[in-house]
Amino acid sequence: EDAGFDERSRGKLAHKAVELLRPSGDNQSDARRAAALAFGEFPELRALPQEHTRKLHAQVEEMLGWLLAQAELRPHLGRSGSELSILTADDACLRPDMLAFTPSGPVVLEFKTGQASPEHAKQLRAYLALAQQIAAGQGQPNPAQGYLVYLDRRVVEPIAPPPLGAQKGGPA
């Protein structure tokens, strides 16, 4: 691994590519476009050896292609609501990777690269609790749906929200 571009940077690149993904029905072209746009946002990649850059680009395209093929996630990709900052009543700032308010309830997607951790589900449950509180405040009592998406491992883990009111510090 190049010292100028570590696993954390790789994760940021993958997140940016997901954020820039705009499904059109042509998964391969959509993945290629989003990867190219994301690479343009990381000028430090130009300093990497060309072979490393090609390999990284292929990895990101493969992640995106897999993501686009996930039927339960696809309707939520390419919508606004990426990396929104939400201030809680106790002044914490939460930033779910993707948050959509749908007629059937809020949907939160949290994208991860690398290894799984129990903290990931805990983080997503906090986002789900907050999304449910926001929706309930708008007269939408439907439960939130959460998906922990491991891009490297190609795994989608549905995560159940905590019971409404179980999370302290709702939205401000």
Side-chain angles (χ1 to χ4, degrees):
E1 194 70 31
D2 190 278
F5 200 80
D6 59 10
E7 282 302 309
R8 184 169 172 80
S9 298
R10 183 177 171 279
K12 288 180 181 183
L13 174 66
H15 273 79
K16 179 53 76 173
V18 170
E19 182 182 326
L20 295 168
L21 194 58
R22 299 292 179 268
S24 71
D26 182 344
N27 290 358
Q28 186 176 5
S29 292
D30 295 341
R32 188 178 313 117
R33 179 182 173 278
L37 289 171
F39 269 72
E41 303 232 356
F42 291 83
E44 64 270 27
L45 289 171
R46 294 184 203 121
L48 296 178
Q50 194 172 25
E51 183 55 35
H52 188 136
T53 303
R54 264 197 298 270
K55 182 179 173 186
L56 188 57
H57 200 284
Q59 289 173 355
V60 171
E61 275 190 45
E62 288 170 14
M63 285 178 196
L64 297 176
W66 170 82
L67 182 60
L68 285 164
Q70 304 312 300
E72 70 272 37
L73 305 180
R74 188 177 173 84
H76 310 294
L77 301 174
R79 302 174 75 179
S80 61
S82 297
E83 294 282 342
L84 295 173
S85 294
I86 304 168
L87 186 63
T88 65
D90 57 358
D91 292 329
C93 184
L94 300 182
R95 293 185 56 146
D97 288 335
M98 222 169 257
L99 170 60
F101 290 93
T102 71
S104 61
V107 177
V108 182
L109 306 181
E110 188 62 24
F111 301 100
K112 300 294 182 187
T113 56
Q115 296 301 310
S117 164
E119 288 301 309
H120 297 159
K122 182 178 176 183
Q123 176 188 25
L124 181 53
R125 282 191 193 91
Y127 297 157
L128 289 167
L130 187 59
Q132 283 188 154
Q133 289 173 0
I134 292 169
Q138 300 295 316
Q140 188 187 55
N142 296 334
Q145 299 172 53
Y147 298 97
L148 193 49
V149 182
Y150 289 100
L151 296 168
D152 285 323
R153 295 174 48 226
R154 312 293 196 266
V155 172
V156 177
E157 290 183 18
I159 301 294
L164 193 55
Q167 178 82 11
K168 67 174 194 160

